[in-house]
Every structure is written in C-alpha cells, then in structure tokens.
C-alpha cells in the first residue's frame, strides 16, 4: 500500500497490491570449449553468460570431472585456464557453478571434451 498525506495532514491509503517475488538462481552455460571438442595443452574454459549482472553473480567455480578447477572466479572475464596435461587422455566433463549474492547456485549443463596430449 501507499499513504498520501497533504499539507493539512489528511491521509489516504491506496488499495493493496500483491507482489510475487521469485528468487531464481542464475543461469549458466559453458561456451568454450565446444561439446565434443578435442583439446590439448593449456586452454581457456569460459562461459557465455552476459546476463550475470542481472542475476547478481558473485562467483563462478569451474570443475573438471566434478573436481574444482582452480579457485572460484569472482570477476570478469568469467573464464579459467586449464592445463589439460594434468589429466589423462580421454573424455572429461566440464561444468561451471554460478553463485549469486544470496547464495543461490546453478550448475551448467555438462560439456564433454576429449583430451588428446602427445605422450611425454
């Protein structure tokens, strides 16, 4: 409701208005590398979400096979460097978890890539 008051002190209260608040978690997706890509050496893993500010994203944790890939990223660009030589050749699953200021989280769809580094 709203209350209006004039100079003489008279007040009028408006009719009530119902408001529904949705606290939805941020949405996220990995834009690079592409699903099914073959990767080697050090690559950049990044997200495509330009709407992070709208969702109030304050942190982004990249993961390889469910294990954190470095520290949580807290600033743009929302990306991380991945040294693929630290994992075995074969398929690996990349995900990213976005966290907003209220503590809501959302996990991206999995992106499966093939690591193919030459033997050492």
């Amino acid at each position: 409701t709203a209350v209006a008051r004039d100079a003489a002190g008279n007040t009028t209260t408006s009719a009530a208005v119902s408001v529904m608040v949705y606290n939805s978690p941020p949405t996220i997706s990995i834009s690079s590398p592409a699903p099914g890509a073959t990767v080697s050496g050090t690559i950049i893993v990044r997200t495509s979400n330009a709407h992070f500010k709208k969702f109030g994203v304050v942190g982004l944790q990249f993961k390889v096979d469910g294990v954190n890939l470095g520290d949580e990223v807290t600033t743009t660009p929302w990306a991380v460097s991945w040294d693929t030589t630290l994992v075995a050749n074969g398929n690996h699953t990349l995900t990213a978890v976005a966290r907003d200021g209220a503590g809501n989280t959302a996990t991206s769809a999995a992106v499966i890539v093939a690591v193919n580094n030459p033997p050492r």
Side-chain angles (χ1 to χ4, degrees):
T1 61
V3 177
R5 181 182 358 224
D6 65 16
N10 300 310
T11 61
T12 301
T13 302
S14 70
V17 175
S18 294
V19 177
M20 182 67 70
V21 176
Y22 295 97
N23 289 320
S24 60
T27 59
I28 183 170
S29 61
I30 293 177
S31 62
S32 179
T38 299
V39 297
S40 62
T42 299
I43 65 165
I44 301 297
V45 181
R46 66 177 42 102
T47 65
S48 62
N49 294 68
H51 305 293
F52 277 177
K53 189 170 188 174
K54 169 184 165 186
F55 288 108
V57 171
V58 296
L60 184 64
Q61 180 64 63
F62 290 94
K63 296 179 180 261
V64 176
D65 300 326
V67 177
N68 289 352
L69 178 58
D71 294 331
E72 181 183 58
V73 178
T74 58
T75 59
T76 60
W78 301 101
V80 67
S81 179
W82 177 31
D83 181 356
T84 67
T85 65
L86 299 177
V87 297
N89 283 345
N91 288 342
H92 293 277
T93 303
L94 300 172
T95 55
V97 179
R99 177 179 58 84
D100 69 15
N104 299 309
T105 60
T107 302
S108 70
V111 171
I112 298 173
V113 296
V115 172
N116 188 11
N117 287 302
R120 294 189 212 201

